[in-house]
Amino acid sequence: MEFDELYLIKPLLKAISEEGYEEPTPIQVKAIPHLLDGRDLMGCAQTGTGKTAAFALPIIQKLTNERPKGRRRPIRTLVLAPTRELATQIYQSFVTYGRYTKIRGVVIYGGVSQRPQADALAKGVDFVVATPGRLLDLMNQGLVRLDSVQTLVLDEADRMLDMGFIVDIRKIIRVIPEKRQTLLFSATLPKDILRFANSILTDPVSIEVTPEMPTVELTDQYVYFVEWVHKMDLLKHLLAHRDFYRVLVFCETKHTVDRVEKELNRSDPAKKKSGGRRGKYRRAEAIHSGKTQRARERALDRFKKGEIQVLVATDIAARGIDVEEIDHVINFEFPKEPEVYIHRIGRTGRAGARGIAISFCTHQDRPMMRKIEMLIKQHLEVVAEHPFKSDIRPPQPTVIDPKIRARNLAKARRLRRRR
Ligand code: AMP
């Protein structure tokens, strides 16, 4: 499909062609026609799928085609995003795609002076991209009016909820007209997101885009059967291995992330050997949504520089992490959805390097392990011998279509040869 089959106006087609976009991505093909029709949308998609353009293009088109008469510029589109980085990125996309239109907007986030943001609002803008906290601040000061909003977008809704923005978001939505178009994007769809979506969307179109799985073949995947109580010992045992250089460890909750980080720093043998001061050397850092943006950036930076060996993270906090040369991804806990496993292991085996993914599997995790194997159409290789092995029976073989298996193997061989 071509962009000009999507009924987009010329100024938009010109801008995207200058951006070098040759054809719309799947989410753009699926979403743009419905959004131009004014439908609500529930999008399950990650960053990297082209989702920003999928909502920005039809919104800019509406803002351009339906300009109100008079000189006043009421805010007609509000986009809420969890972090200042994402808000800025979305705002930049609006500016890029809308550069041949006359729309005007502002990006609003905390941690900086509110003055320029308040000035821009006073001059009048067609769209606002904001993080919820600062927006609510400005609303409370009477500096933002949202009673003309026609389109509301919630981007990375799961992350916003995880960061505790739900109350702020509900307060913001309360002042937006009920008759509006609402779009909600989320990378995962746990129950609380579905419940929240149901409460704010009207007859939405649902669109799901799963990222491709190119890295699956580039990653060696192993499973260790282990009881929960021995997971920490197993992790330390593995990290003592000399080939574990830059390791990303995934846990399901903030609490476990913190615990693992603490244990790893406590157990560092280098500390004892050097007789150094306690707490001086750190082997691990933790990132999750309970940490401040600065703490997260600092942890990530240390990980990138190789100052720490291990980054312990929740899925949501780890999203968008782009660190070269992660050689091992360890699933301290299995994810709740099999697709998340693919996102996780996609962090290793990058740029042609072969990565290793290790999953700790308790008895309760067995059904999830099978689901993952079905999804990736591949076996996870069980490491039978290790000091903390539990007596879970070996897995039943997953039925894998021999044709798919042969195709996967051929593809992996091709990739290997190319390198
Ligand atoms: P997003 O998922 O919105 O963060 O987009 C990911 C990246 O894909 C951004 O760098 C966009 O500029 C780029 N992008 C979006 N749509 C297209 C397209 N149709 N063709 C090529 N690149 C695109």
mmCIF file of all heavy atoms in Angstrom, residues 3 16 19-28 45-55 57 86 89-90 93 96-97 155-156, ligand 1:
data_model
loop_
_atom_site.group_PDB
_atom_site.id
_atom_site.type_symbol
_atom_site.label_atom_id
_atom_site.label_comp_id
_atom_site.label_asym_id
_atom_site.label_seq_id
_atom_site.Cartn_x
_atom_site.Cartn_y
_atom_site.Cartn_z
ATOM 1 N N PHE A 3 1.261 5.577 0.587
ATOM 2 C CA PHE A 3 0.706 6.624 1.453
ATOM 3 C C PHE A 3 -0.446 7.357 0.770
ATOM 4 O O PHE A 3 -1.424 7.721 1.397
ATOM 5 C CB PHE A 3 1.793 7.623 1.851
ATOM 6 C CG PHE A 3 2.475 7.266 3.140
ATOM 7 C CD1 PHE A 3 3.811 6.907 3.162
ATOM 8 C CD2 PHE A 3 1.775 7.277 4.335
ATOM 9 C CE1 PHE A 3 4.439 6.568 4.352
ATOM 10 C CE2 PHE A 3 2.398 6.942 5.535
ATOM 11 C CZ PHE A 3 3.726 6.590 5.538
ATOM 12 N N ILE A 16 6.029 13.659 4.619
ATOM 13 C CA ILE A 16 6.492 12.288 4.887
ATOM 14 C C ILE A 16 7.402 11.785 3.776
ATOM 15 O O ILE A 16 8.303 11.002 4.021
ATOM 16 C CB ILE A 16 5.336 11.280 5.163
ATOM 17 C CG1 ILE A 16 4.242 11.358 4.138
ATOM 18 C CG2 ILE A 16 4.785 11.413 6.527
ATOM 19 C CD1 ILE A 16 3.021 10.505 4.496
ATOM 20 N N GLU A 19 10.688 12.941 4.568
ATOM 21 C CA GLU A 19 11.269 12.157 5.675
ATOM 22 C C GLU A 19 11.855 10.836 5.175
ATOM 23 O O GLU A 19 12.510 10.109 5.906
ATOM 24 C CB GLU A 19 10.185 11.839 6.713
ATOM 25 C CG GLU A 19 9.925 12.939 7.703
ATOM 26 C CD GLU A 19 11.177 13.384 8.418
ATOM 27 O OE1 GLU A 19 11.666 12.651 9.280
ATOM 28 O OE2 GLU A 19 11.679 14.488 8.095
ATOM 29 N N GLY A 20 11.542 10.526 3.915
ATOM 30 C CA GLY A 20 12.064 9.284 3.337
ATOM 31 C C GLY A 20 11.172 8.076 3.593
ATOM 32 O O GLY A 20 11.585 6.940 3.370
ATOM 33 N N TYR A 21 9.945 8.309 4.065
ATOM 34 C CA TYR A 21 9.040 7.180 4.277
ATOM 35 C C TYR A 21 8.503 6.752 2.914
ATOM 36 O O TYR A 21 7.875 7.541 2.215
ATOM 37 C CB TYR A 21 7.840 7.568 5.159
ATOM 38 C CG TYR A 21 8.165 8.020 6.559
ATOM 39 C CD1 TYR A 21 9.476 8.088 7.019
ATOM 40 C CD2 TYR A 21 7.147 8.376 7.434
ATOM 41 C CE1 TYR A 21 9.753 8.501 8.305
ATOM 42 C CE2 TYR A 21 7.428 8.802 8.723
ATOM 43 C CZ TYR A 21 8.729 8.873 9.154
ATOM 44 O OH TYR A 21 8.994 9.295 10.421
ATOM 45 N N GLU A 22 8.730 5.511 2.558
ATOM 46 C CA GLU A 22 8.274 5.071 1.237
ATOM 47 C C GLU A 22 6.882 4.474 1.275
ATOM 48 O O GLU A 22 6.077 4.675 0.388
ATOM 49 C CB GLU A 22 9.264 4.072 0.652
ATOM 50 C CG GLU A 22 10.510 4.810 0.164
ATOM 51 C CD GLU A 22 11.637 3.909 -0.207
ATOM 52 O OE1 GLU A 22 11.465 2.673 -0.158
ATOM 53 O OE2 GLU A 22 12.710 4.449 -0.525
ATOM 54 N N GLU A 23 6.633 3.712 2.308
ATOM 55 C CA GLU A 23 5.285 3.152 2.429
ATOM 56 C C GLU A 23 4.862 3.112 3.898
ATOM 57 O O GLU A 23 5.712 3.109 4.796
ATOM 58 C CB GLU A 23 5.229 1.743 1.837
ATOM 59 C CG GLU A 23 6.299 0.839 2.391
ATOM 60 C CD GLU A 23 6.230 -0.545 1.753
ATOM 61 O OE1 GLU A 23 5.888 -0.635 0.573
ATOM 62 O OE2 GLU A 23 6.518 -1.517 2.480
ATOM 63 N N PRO A 24 3.546 3.118 4.123
ATOM 64 C CA PRO A 24 3.088 3.116 5.529
ATOM 65 C C PRO A 24 3.415 1.802 6.229
ATOM 66 O O PRO A 24 3.435 0.749 5.583
ATOM 67 C CB PRO A 24 1.578 3.313 5.415
ATOM 68 C CG PRO A 24 1.219 3.039 3.997
ATOM 69 C CD PRO A 24 2.433 3.186 3.163
ATOM 70 N N THR A 25 3.671 1.880 7.508
ATOM 71 C CA THR A 25 3.912 0.652 8.290
ATOM 72 C C THR A 25 2.547 -0.002 8.569
ATOM 73 O O THR A 25 1.505 0.651 8.414
ATOM 74 C CB THR A 25 4.599 0.991 9.627
ATOM 75 O OG1 THR A 25 3.691 1.772 10.409
ATOM 76 C CG2 THR A 25 5.889 1.759 9.441
ATOM 77 N N PRO A 26 2.533 -1.275 8.997
ATOM 78 C CA PRO A 26 1.248 -1.951 9.214
ATOM 79 C C PRO A 26 0.295 -1.184 10.133
ATOM 80 O O PRO A 26 -0.896 -1.071 9.848
ATOM 81 C CB PRO A 26 1.659 -3.284 9.852
ATOM 82 C CG PRO A 26 3.029 -3.539 9.314
ATOM 83 C CD PRO A 26 3.673 -2.195 9.159
ATOM 84 N N ILE A 27 0.820 -0.614 11.201
ATOM 85 C CA ILE A 27 -0.111 0.095 12.101
ATOM 86 C C ILE A 27 -0.675 1.342 11.427
ATOM 87 O O ILE A 27 -1.829 1.715 11.649
ATOM 88 C CB ILE A 27 0.542 0.431 13.470
ATOM 89 C CG1 ILE A 27 -0.544 0.875 14.443
ATOM 90 C CG2 ILE A 27 1.627 1.482 13.374
ATOM 91 C CD1 ILE A 27 -0.165 0.893 15.871
ATOM 92 N N GLN A 28 0.109 1.953 10.570
ATOM 93 C CA GLN A 28 -0.389 3.137 9.856
ATOM 94 C C GLN A 28 -1.478 2.737 8.860
ATOM 95 O O GLN A 28 -2.512 3.406 8.761
ATOM 96 C CB GLN A 28 0.781 3.844 9.147
ATOM 97 C CG GLN A 28 1.733 4.494 10.149
ATOM 98 C CD GLN A 28 3.111 4.804 9.596
ATOM 99 O OE1 GLN A 28 3.390 4.627 8.409
ATOM 100 N NE2 GLN A 28 4.002 5.258 10.462
ATOM 101 N N ALA A 45 0.645 -1.546 20.625
ATOM 102 C CA ALA A 45 1.835 -1.415 19.784
ATOM 103 C C ALA A 45 2.957 -0.783 20.580
ATOM 104 O O ALA A 45 2.717 0.009 21.482
ATOM 105 C CB ALA A 45 1.527 -0.536 18.587
ATOM 106 N N GLN A 46 4.151 -1.147 20.221
ATOM 107 C CA GLN A 46 5.334 -0.602 20.883
ATOM 108 C C GLN A 46 5.902 0.567 20.088
ATOM 109 O O GLN A 46 5.601 0.712 18.908
ATOM 110 C CB GLN A 46 6.408 -1.674 20.888
ATOM 111 C CG GLN A 46 6.249 -2.688 21.971
ATOM 112 C CD GLN A 46 7.592 -3.018 22.560
ATOM 113 O OE1 GLN A 46 8.578 -3.103 21.838
ATOM 114 N NE2 GLN A 46 7.651 -3.196 23.848
ATOM 115 N N THR A 47 6.773 1.306 20.736
ATOM 116 C CA THR A 47 7.551 2.300 20.014
ATOM 117 C C THR A 47 8.394 1.557 18.981
ATOM 118 O O THR A 47 8.871 0.461 19.257
ATOM 119 C CB THR A 47 8.455 3.032 21.023
ATOM 120 O OG1 THR A 47 7.598 3.696 21.931
ATOM 121 C CG2 THR A 47 9.354 4.036 20.358
ATOM 122 N N GLY A 48 8.545 2.148 17.813
ATOM 123 C CA GLY A 48 9.332 1.487 16.777
ATOM 124 C C GLY A 48 8.467 0.894 15.679
ATOM 125 O O GLY A 48 8.959 0.439 14.657
ATOM 126 N N THR A 49 7.153 0.928 15.886
ATOM 127 C CA THR A 49 6.240 0.371 14.887
ATOM 128 C C THR A 49 5.708 1.456 13.949
ATOM 129 O O THR A 49 5.002 1.167 13.000
ATOM 130 C CB THR A 49 5.025 -0.283 15.577
ATOM 131 O OG1 THR A 49 4.480 0.671 16.508
ATOM 132 C CG2 THR A 49 5.415 -1.536 16.336
ATOM 133 N N GLY A 50 6.044 2.714 14.247
ATOM 134 C CA GLY A 50 5.516 3.826 13.451
ATOM 135 C C GLY A 50 4.183 4.309 14.002
ATOM 136 O O GLY A 50 3.407 4.962 13.318
ATOM 137 N N LYS A 51 3.943 4.052 15.290
ATOM 138 C CA LYS A 51 2.627 4.398 15.855
ATOM 139 C C LYS A 51 2.437 5.907 15.984
ATOM 140 O O LYS A 51 1.315 6.386 15.907
ATOM 141 C CB LYS A 51 2.401 3.687 17.187
ATOM 142 C CG LYS A 51 3.170 4.255 18.347
ATOM 143 C CD LYS A 51 2.806 3.528 19.615
ATOM 144 C CE LYS A 51 3.911 3.599 20.634
ATOM 145 N NZ LYS A 51 4.050 4.787 21.400
ATOM 146 N N THR A 52 3.527 6.652 16.178
ATOM 147 C CA THR A 52 3.354 8.106 16.334
ATOM 148 C C THR A 52 2.765 8.711 15.061
ATOM 149 O O THR A 52 1.798 9.473 15.119
ATOM 150 C CB THR A 52 4.702 8.780 16.661
ATOM 151 O OG1 THR A 52 5.358 7.994 17.655
ATOM 152 C CG2 THR A 52 4.513 10.183 17.170
ATOM 153 N N ALA A 53 3.330 8.331 13.920
ATOM 154 C CA ALA A 53 2.776 8.846 12.660
ATOM 155 C C ALA A 53 1.358 8.325 12.457
ATOM 156 O O ALA A 53 0.513 9.029 11.902
ATOM 157 C CB ALA A 53 3.666 8.437 11.486
ATOM 158 N N ALA A 54 1.087 7.115 12.932
ATOM 159 C CA ALA A 54 -0.250 6.533 12.750
ATOM 160 C C ALA A 54 -1.313 7.413 13.389
ATOM 161 O O ALA A 54 -2.422 7.523 12.885
ATOM 162 C CB ALA A 54 -0.309 5.123 13.342
ATOM 163 N N PHE A 55 -0.998 8.054 14.504
ATOM 164 C CA PHE A 55 -2.017 8.952 15.069
ATOM 165 C C PHE A 55 -1.775 10.412 14.716
ATOM 166 O O PHE A 55 -2.695 11.193 14.544
ATOM 167 C CB PHE A 55 -2.230 8.735 16.574
ATOM 168 C CG PHE A 55 -1.091 9.103 17.490
ATOM 169 C CD1 PHE A 55 -0.856 10.418 17.849
ATOM 170 C CD2 PHE A 55 -0.269 8.126 18.044
ATOM 171 C CE1 PHE A 55 0.175 10.762 18.732
ATOM 172 C CE2 PHE A 55 0.769 8.456 18.920
ATOM 173 C CZ PHE A 55 0.996 9.777 19.255
ATOM 174 N N LEU A 57 -0.567 11.808 11.904
ATOM 175 C CA LEU A 57 -0.978 12.228 10.556
ATOM 176 C C LEU A 57 -2.482 12.525 10.468
ATOM 177 O O LEU A 57 -2.864 13.623 10.057
ATOM 178 C CB LEU A 57 -0.558 11.175 9.514
ATOM 179 C CG LEU A 57 0.972 11.029 9.323
ATOM 180 C CD1 LEU A 57 1.297 9.820 8.456
ATOM 181 C CD2 LEU A 57 1.569 12.289 8.721
ATOM 182 N N LEU A 86 9.435 11.040 25.826
ATOM 183 C CA LEU A 86 8.417 10.599 24.866
ATOM 184 C C LEU A 86 7.564 11.777 24.408
ATOM 185 O O LEU A 86 7.257 11.917 23.227
ATOM 186 C CB LEU A 86 7.542 9.492 25.474
ATOM 187 C CG LEU A 86 6.545 8.870 24.489
ATOM 188 C CD1 LEU A 86 7.249 8.221 23.309
ATOM 189 C CD2 LEU A 86 5.662 7.838 25.174
ATOM 190 N N GLN A 89 9.455 13.731 21.893
ATOM 191 C CA GLN A 89 9.538 12.982 20.640
ATOM 192 C C GLN A 89 8.228 13.096 19.839
ATOM 193 O O GLN A 89 8.249 13.314 18.636
ATOM 194 C CB GLN A 89 9.748 11.518 21.017
ATOM 195 C CG GLN A 89 10.645 10.719 20.114
ATOM 196 C CD GLN A 89 10.865 9.364 20.800
ATOM 197 O OE1 GLN A 89 11.489 9.280 21.861
ATOM 198 N NE2 GLN A 89 10.316 8.319 20.237
ATOM 199 N N ILE A 90 7.121 12.995 20.539
ATOM 200 C CA ILE A 90 5.816 13.079 19.859
ATOM 201 C C ILE A 90 5.614 14.492 19.310
ATOM 202 O O ILE A 90 5.195 14.681 18.169
ATOM 203 C CB ILE A 90 4.663 12.726 20.830
ATOM 204 C CG1 ILE A 90 4.791 11.267 21.283
ATOM 205 C CG2 ILE A 90 3.309 12.964 20.178
ATOM 206 C CD1 ILE A 90 3.872 10.891 22.441
ATOM 207 N N SER A 93 7.513 14.986 16.231
ATOM 208 C CA SER A 93 6.881 14.322 15.086
ATOM 209 C C SER A 93 5.760 15.191 14.524
ATOM 210 O O SER A 93 5.619 15.330 13.314
ATOM 211 C CB SER A 93 6.305 12.962 15.485
ATOM 212 O OG SER A 93 7.331 12.131 15.946
ATOM 213 N N THR A 96 7.387 17.897 12.573
ATOM 214 C CA THR A 96 7.946 17.400 11.314
ATOM 215 C C THR A 96 6.849 17.135 10.287
ATOM 216 O O THR A 96 6.917 17.623 9.155
ATOM 217 C CB THR A 96 8.720 16.079 11.575
ATOM 218 O OG1 THR A 96 9.697 16.337 12.574
ATOM 219 C CG2 THR A 96 9.388 15.576 10.322
ATOM 220 N N TYR A 97 5.845 16.373 10.676
ATOM 221 C CA TYR A 97 4.799 16.016 9.702
ATOM 222 C C TYR A 97 3.919 17.220 9.351
ATOM 223 O O TYR A 97 3.325 17.262 8.281
ATOM 224 C CB TYR A 97 3.896 14.890 10.235
ATOM 225 C CG TYR A 97 4.639 13.656 10.688
ATOM 226 C CD1 TYR A 97 4.277 12.971 11.850
ATOM 227 C CD2 TYR A 97 5.716 13.165 9.948
ATOM 228 C CE1 TYR A 97 4.962 11.841 12.269
ATOM 229 C CE2 TYR A 97 6.408 12.034 10.366
ATOM 230 C CZ TYR A 97 6.032 11.381 11.538
ATOM 231 O OH TYR A 97 6.711 10.275 11.953
ATOM 232 N N ASP A 155 -0.707 7.899 25.181
ATOM 233 C CA ASP A 155 0.346 7.049 24.619
ATOM 234 C C ASP A 155 1.063 6.324 25.757
ATOM 235 O O ASP A 155 1.261 6.884 26.832
ATOM 236 C CB ASP A 155 1.328 7.910 23.819
ATOM 237 C CG ASP A 155 2.133 7.061 22.856
ATOM 238 O OD1 ASP A 155 1.805 5.869 22.689
ATOM 239 O OD2 ASP A 155 3.092 7.582 22.255
ATOM 240 N N GLU A 156 1.465 5.094 25.473
ATOM 241 C CA GLU A 156 2.105 4.242 26.478
ATOM 242 C C GLU A 156 1.287 4.243 27.773
ATOM 243 O O GLU A 156 1.794 4.549 28.866
ATOM 244 C CB GLU A 156 3.553 4.675 26.718
ATOM 245 C CG GLU A 156 4.393 4.498 25.466
ATOM 246 C CD GLU A 156 5.865 4.231 25.733
ATOM 247 O OE1 GLU A 156 6.308 4.304 26.890
ATOM 248 O OE2 GLU A 156 6.577 3.940 24.766
HETATM 249 P P1 AMP B 1 7.491 5.285 16.384
HETATM 250 O O1 AMP B 1 7.036 3.863 16.529
HETATM 251 O O2 AMP B 1 6.378 6.203 16.139
HETATM 252 O O3 AMP B 1 8.387 5.700 17.505
HETATM 253 O O4 AMP B 1 8.399 5.341 15.049
HETATM 254 C C1 AMP B 1 9.616 4.699 14.944
HETATM 255 C C2 AMP B 1 10.478 5.252 13.835
HETATM 256 O O5 AMP B 1 9.942 4.888 12.558
HETATM 257 C C3 AMP B 1 10.594 6.762 13.813
HETATM 258 O O6 AMP B 1 11.951 7.081 13.679
HETATM 259 C C4 AMP B 1 9.820 7.218 12.581
HETATM 260 O O7 AMP B 1 10.428 8.345 12.009
HETATM 261 C C5 AMP B 1 9.936 6.012 11.680
HETATM 262 N N1 AMP B 1 8.779 5.826 10.781
HETATM 263 C C6 AMP B 1 7.475 5.996 11.067
HETATM 264 N N2 AMP B 1 6.721 5.677 10.007
HETATM 265 C C7 AMP B 1 7.542 5.286 9.027
HETATM 266 C C8 AMP B 1 7.340 4.835 7.673
HETATM 267 N N3 AMP B 1 6.145 4.709 7.154
HETATM 268 N N4 AMP B 1 8.438 4.514 6.953
HETATM 269 C C9 AMP B 1 9.676 4.626 7.494
HETATM 270 N N5 AMP B 1 9.927 5.042 8.746
HETATM 271 C C10 AMP B 1 8.879 5.371 9.513
#
